[in-house]
Amino acid sequence: MAKQVAWGILGTGWIAGLQTSDLIEHGHNVVAVGSRTAESATTFAAEYGIPTAHGSYEDLVADPNVDAIYVASPHPFHEEHALLALNAGKHVLVEKVFTMNAAQAETLVSRASELNLVVLEAMWTRYLPHMVRIRQLIAEGALGTIRSVIADHNQNLPSDPLHRINNPLLGGGALLDLGIYPVSFAHDILGAPSSIVAVATKTGTDVDRQTSMIFSYGTEAQAVLQTTLDLAGPTRAVIVGTEGRIEIAETWYAPTTYTRFDGQGNVVEEFDGTVTGRGMQFQAAELERLVAAGEIANDILSPAESIEIMHTLDEIRRQIGLTYPMLDEG
């Protein structure tokens, strides 16, 4: 039997807590946490019953008892912290958005390949039961030819200009934090678009408040996607094909239900994707599967596709004029 992967958690924020809870609840082995301060690491370790707390990220990745690192720092630090872990010989699960741009993504993927290590983007939606079933249906031709994908991710988040979502120094804006979900969803169902049209409005801090996107795929299909950071929305998604459609219920990117209709509008399947916990355990299980199999890429969300998605986000940012200081973009 393969050795159980020992996890280290890099970062002690809200998303780190969610991932750690799911790991522990589902029997994964969390052995260490690292933060920029010993106090924060110690507090987090006590809350989740983690044996070792490190007062720096360097100490965390150097821990010989750790096999894999979950990177949960803000977007602008993903490349730096993932490289820190890779160079220490650790496999890495990197919170989405994978990096700040495609160039950084290429750097991460190249380094992981050189070291024969897993670097996996933590787009947890890809691994949820309803999405696994939907991909199966599409592969079987149950919907015919896919012609349309529609998805939104709108939330009413804090308006404080120093909050992460509004702060350009922390990679703020709707697109990279929320819009990554519908963008990745469109890639999952239809692949990389052949053309993109995007428009946006900005906040007072010059990050995107609302972004709408249309992806085209030759003459066959389109994706219509939308994201907003200061208004609550339906957070639903629809996949429409020539032989039927799937309507994914709120909140479509989390464990949820869907209804499948045939081409005449009759209900032919109702799927309940309820799971225990938040559903973030599945992406960690996939990293562990890859490690046990001696593989560094999968078909669900390969490193190459994560780079492709970052290229799409780069083009959207170019069109809407969304730049970040740490990228020397103005």
Side-chain angles (χ1 to χ4, degrees):
M1 184 175 178
K3 171 183 175 290
Q4 188 178 23
V5 170
W7 286 89
I9 310 298
L10 191 152
T12 55
W14 174 74
I15 196 69
L18 293 175
Q19 180 68 74
T20 301
S21 291
D22 273 357
L23 285 169
I24 292 170
E25 180 179 354
H26 295 91
H28 299 273
N29 186 25
V30 182
V31 300
V33 60
S35 182
R36 291 172 296 177
T37 68
E39 179 182 7
S40 178
T42 300
T43 299
F44 191 93
E47 180 176 357
Y48 294 100
I50 299 171
T52 304
H54 294 288
S56 74
Y57 300 142
E58 290 78 10
D59 287 348
L60 172 67
V61 303
D63 188 331
N65 296 315
V66 171
D67 303 311
I69 300 288
Y70 169 60
V71 173
S73 51
H75 311 332
F77 306 104
H78 286 181
E79 180 193 27
E80 174 189 346
H81 294 155
L83 284 174
L84 189 70
L86 289 170
N87 288 331
K90 314 300 185 185
H91 304 284
V92 186
L93 178 64
V94 186
E95 187 51 52
K96 53 83 200 152
V97 63
F98 192 50
T99 52
M100 289 297 292
N101 61 18
Q104 290 183 357
E106 289 166 355
T107 297
L108 278 192
V109 170
S110 175
R111 187 59 176 151
S113 179
E114 289 171 1
L115 297 170
N116 198 35
L117 293 168
V118 176
V119 60
L120 187 67
E121 180 183 356
M123 177 45 74
W124 58 304
T125 306
R126 292 285 182 108
Y127 303 93
L128 295 176
H130 70 284
M131 289 305 306
V132 172
R133 173 62 176 155
I134 285 169
R135 283 193 298 270
Q136 179 185 23
L137 288 168
I138 291 171
E140 292 172 352
L143 300 183
T145 301
I146 306 302
R147 298 280 289 276
S148 181
V149 169
I150 305 166
D152 82 284
H153 188 179
N154 299 329
Q155 291 192 35
N156 190 0
L157 298 174
S159 60
D160 179 358
L162 297 180
H163 188 277
R164 173 184 61 82
I165 194 70
N166 303 304
N167 189 345
L169 295 175
L170 295 177
L175 180 64
L176 296 191
D177 200 270
L178 309 178
I180 176 60
Y181 283 97
V183 168
S184 184
F185 179 63
H187 270 259
D188 192 10
I189 304 303
L190 292 171
S194 57
S195 66
I196 298 168
V197 176
V199 295
T201 59
K202 299 284 193 69
T203 67
T205 57
D206 205 34
V207 298
D208 67 310
R209 168 186 285 115
Q210 175 172 297
T211 298
S212 299
M213 300 151 276
I214 299 176
F215 293 177
S216 296
Y217 299 83
T219 59
E220 279 296 306
Q222 296 177 350
V224 181
L225 316 172
Q226 201 269 330
T227 184
T228 305
L229 58 73
D230 60 356
L231 295 172
T235 59
R236 297 173 66 90
V238 183
I239 304 167
V240 184
T242 55
E243 301 297 327
R245 73 182 188 273
I246 292 173
E247 297 183 2
I248 309 176
E250 184 180 4
T251 299
W252 68 264
Y253 57 84
T256 190
T257 62
Y258 72 70
T259 303
R260 178 162 64 97
F261 301 83
D262 65 19
Q264 289 71 49
N266 302 305
V267 175
V268 293
E269 180 187 5
E270 292 185 333
F271 181 89
D272 186 349
T274 302
V275 302
T276 57
R278 191 172 188 249
M280 297 174 74
Q281 65 272 20
F282 299 108
Q283 60 188 1
E286 176 63 7
L287 182 142
E288 294 186 10
R289 185 195 69 79
L290 289 170
V291 171
E295 301 172 0
I296 62 171
N298 66 15
D299 294 328
I300 298 174
L301 182 53
S302 68
E305 188 180 359
S306 290
I307 293 171
E308 206 170 59
I309 290 167
M310 291 311 309
H311 278 294
T312 295
L313 292 170
D314 285 353
E315 174 58 19
I316 295 167
R317 289 199 304 109
R318 186 193 68 79
Q319 291 190 24
I320 66 175
L322 177 60
T323 61
Y324 292 105
M326 77 290 297
L327 298 177
D328 294 323
E329 295 177 323

